[in-house]
Amino acid sequence: MVVQALRDQGVDVVFGYPGGAVLPIYDEIFQQNDIRHVLVRHEQGAVHAAEGYARSTGKPGVVLVTSGPGATNAVTGITDALMDSIPLVVLSGQVPTFMIGNDAFQEADTVGITRACTKHNWLVKDTANLSGTIHEAFHVATTGRPGPVLVDIPKDVQFASSTYTPPQKAKTSHYQPPVKGDLDAITELVEAIEKAKKPIIYTGGGVINSGTAASQLLRELVDSTDFPVTSTLMGLGAYPGTGKNWLGMLGMHGLYEANMAMHDCDLMINIGARFDDRITGLVSAFSPNSKKAHIDIDPSSVNKVIRVDIPIIGDVGHVLEDILKIWKSRGRKTDKEGLKGWWARIEEWKKIDCLSFKQTGPVIKPQYALHRLEELTRNHDRYICTEVGQHQMWAAQYLTFNDPNRWMTSGGLGTMGYGLPASVGVQMAHPEALVINVAGEASWLMNMQEMGTAVQFRLPVKQFIMNNERLGMVRQWQELLHGERYSQSWSEALPDFVKLAEAFGCKGIKVDNPDDLDEAIREMLAYDGPVILDCLVEKHENCFPMIPSGEAHNKMLLGEAKTKDAIGSSGAVLV
Amino acid sequence: MSALKIKKGSTKHSAYNLRPDFSDVTETHTLAVVVDNEAGVLARVIGLFSGRGYNIDSLTVAETDHEGHRSRITIVTTGTPQVIEQIKAQLGRIVPVHEVHDLTVEGPSVERELALLKVSGTGEKRVEALRLADIFRANVMDSTLESFIFEITGTPDKIDAFAQLMGPLGLIEVARTGVAALSRGQ
Ligand SMILES: Cc1ncc(C[n+]2csc(CCOP(=O)(O)OP(=O)(O)O)c2C)c(N)n1
Ligand SMILES: [Mg+2]
């Protein structure tokens, strides 16, 4: 019944881990060949793998875990998916209905525990509702603002038989958030587009979630208006990184030109982003002189942090289509003179060249490592995952994303340990592609057991570990905020990553010299199988530009110069 | 319903859009939330308030449409206009929530609460309690030689006032239902 429902939902792969309370479903899985099951090494890994699968395909990811510890191990991944609006359907086993509430072996209140970290969840108490609920779960996960859902299935409900409800008959009509934006509001935005002298388009993960057509429409809007465009971490790839109007990522570690343009613009068009605190910095000083429009499918995102002038609730793709239609029908007007002056200012900001670095000496600079990785993989069919920390921000800054769904990173929750399992999920979905996880050594260790999954399923994922032997991002904050008292931010007693690779049965490479870097990367790319590349980098490099917590966009720190005491005491309480 | 009826996901969902700017002044609003009567729905609503740090001044819930399987939750909450708008939008996001009405901005409404008060006393105090109950149109639901249980229905203010008067007259216990509310007219 469960497998039938998954099959009818077009599921081809499930990430999971068995246990007593899901044995009937595993028995069903055993007796069929349509759906592949990827046996992970930890349930958190299953969820991140499903996120990688979902993010790189646009389809929902599916997870299967047992009751109790299986479900609780999945909680971090589910929360991660909620924060980044990733559609997931998590199926969990539960103790039989007649034992619920008795503190039975491996019982946990899974729907209670996951209520706050799912978009919605269900406890199925009757087999008659099982298939219908699974279909409803897929509907809710993928409709409106996507997110993770969980269906908790007691073991007796799995065993009992009942008539199957096909997807068409499932109860889905009650949840249908509107996708079309209000035309009056869209017209108001078009008028603002026509008049703007200093516009900026600020995109987010919503553009990616809306589907490839939305990215296409975004490109059309940017190119035909000649407006500059920047993006959050989650939105990279919606507009090509090689596009001529691209300003680079914005936010705490965003590019100087992107943040300055956000601060000084007179029209801000937020498309599928949510004014996250990594983006806004000091809210009261955020882009003080601009008219702000916000396109979002989730009404609760609008006016939550920043008050906007033109709220448009709807799906990004549909709204962009209407914007273009109306703007074209009114004669494709923009203030060309104004724009010329605006671009001239942006060019001035670009001259600062905020990402410039010098590779000198015998130690590999992390920026240089990514620069070489970019050069040597640019022409590949490439998917990038990351862990969380400095390496993640450098990857966002120094790698180029020309297409949506090519960049998998934990944004909202910032979950160390995301990248390796995510790369497993991406490679499952794209067996022929080059899948690289840009990792920090500390994050990577958090879910390193998933290397076993990669080896078992012959997934040639490339683990590019930027090893600074530090919890680099923590160390950077301690340097800037806590008087250089480096409390517990060392990665002590690290394993020998080459030997570790060998122990897992894959290839290990170590490089610690800039002259050998290209060769090491080439070797990694050439190897037909999973690789761990231990790239030893400069230990005390900081990630810049940086908007210190509690500061405005135009108060960016640019380099090693004058960073001490830069963060005021009110900023120090922020994260 | 009035023009400001809040449908899930509608563009014009936000009465806040009509306001000049974020205001720091807190307001008390009465929200009526129509939900599927299913397991866990109240926990979702309450979890939203506790998880996001919103206030609940009062909350009532009961099934109101047995066939349609619907319950109505009435919530009285306090916050700045921005917070009130967030609360409504967040409530609207909960999958089994069908409608969110802000009775405070959707035109005139009727709000009622029921309370039971146990007052114990003898002699003058007992007579005075009974006299005041009569003025407040409270009913005597139970009586012993030393105590009454009064039932009173009205606005929360009226109940507050009655309870305050009963204080010195021997009030020993109060049970209140919280507010039930409906908008007036069509
Ligand atoms: C699960 C989890 N625990 C703690 C943190 C806090 N944190 C953020 S970055 C970081 C250090 C990451 O170190 P590493 O993976 O080596 O990356 P680097 O910053 O050195 O590039 C820590 C501890 C987190 N984001 N996630
Ligand atoms: Mg590190």
Side-chain angles (χ1 to χ4, degrees), chain A residues 387-391 394 414-416 440-444 446 466 468 470-474 491:
Chain A
E387 302 286 348
V388 170
Q390 291 179 316
H391 63 278
W394 281 315
T415 312
M416 292 171 68
E441 80 296 338
S443 297
W444 193 85
M446 281 210 177
M466 313 236 299
N468 53 9
R470 299 289 181 280
L471 311 183
M473 191 57 98
V474 173
S491 287

Side-chain angles (χ1 to χ4, degrees), chain A residues 115 119-121 140 145 174-175 178 181-182 184 298-300 302-307 311-313, chain B residues 8-13 16-17 19-22 38 40 43-44 82 86 89-90 93 95-96 98:
Chain A
R115 195 171 283 132
K119 185 173 169 189
H120 194 57
N121 62 16
V140 170
R145 180 175 177 175
H174 66 296
Y175 184 70
D182 180 76
D184 292 342
D298 178 0
S300 77
V302 176
N303 286 332
K304 179 171 67 182
V305 180
I306 299 290
R307 177 175 151 59
I312 302 174
I313 311 291
Chain B
K8 284 181 83 167
S10 92
T11 298
K12 292 246 155 70
H13 76 286
Y16 175 73
N17 295 336
R19 292 171 200 272
D21 215 334
F22 281 174
E38 63 179 32
R44 285 179 212 286
Q82 185 197 5
Q86 258 300 299
Q90 293 289 351
R93 241 155 64 108
V95 173
H98 290 265

Side-chain angles (χ1 to χ4, degrees), chain A residues 105-271:
Chain A
F105 177 61
Q106 294 198 328
E107 177 181 359
D109 175 9
T110 303
V111 286
I113 290 169
T114 60
R115 195 171 283 132
C117 64
T118 51
K119 185 173 169 189
H120 194 57
N121 62 16
W122 296 262
L123 170 65
V124 182
K125 288 187 173 160
D126 183 346
T127 312
N129 300 329
L130 179 55
S131 46
T133 303
I134 292 175
H135 297 313
E136 195 184 342
F138 275 88
H139 173 75
V140 170
T142 54
T143 309
R145 180 175 177 175
V149 300
L150 179 139
V151 184
D152 200 24
I153 316 173
K155 196 170 180 181
D156 54 333
V157 173
Q158 298 171 33
F159 264 125
S161 51
S162 178
T163 44
Y164 177 74
T165 309
Q168 305 77 17
K169 292 242 174 78
K171 187 176 126 228
T172 53
S173 57
H174 66 296
Y175 184 70
Q176 299 287 359
V179 291
K180 294 285 267 185
D182 180 76
L183 286 179
D184 292 342
I186 292 176
T187 308
E188 202 184 330
L189 172 56
V190 168
E191 281 163 13
I193 289 173
E194 291 167 346
K195 287 195 215 112
K197 293 190 184 328
K198 300 185 287 177
I200 186 159
I201 294 176
Y202 143 47
T203 65
V207 185
I208 313 270
N209 278 336
S210 178
T212 42
S215 294
Q216 220 43 58
L217 290 162
L218 171 71
R219 290 160 191 225
E220 191 183 336
L221 180 70
V222 172
D223 295 341
S224 54
T225 55
D226 198 29
F227 284 6
V229 56
T230 177
S231 167
T232 67
L233 183 73
M234 297 312 292
L236 297 177
Y239 184 80
T242 49
K244 83 173 177 26
N245 291 26
W246 177 239
L247 300 188
M249 180 175 78
L250 81 160
M252 183 175 270
H253 291 292
L255 271 68
Y256 183 74
E257 48 269 38
N259 285 331
M260 291 305 281
M262 285 289 279
H263 189 266
D264 284 6
C265 66
D266 68 354
L267 172 66
M268 177 185 298
I269 309 173
N270 171 343
I271 309 181

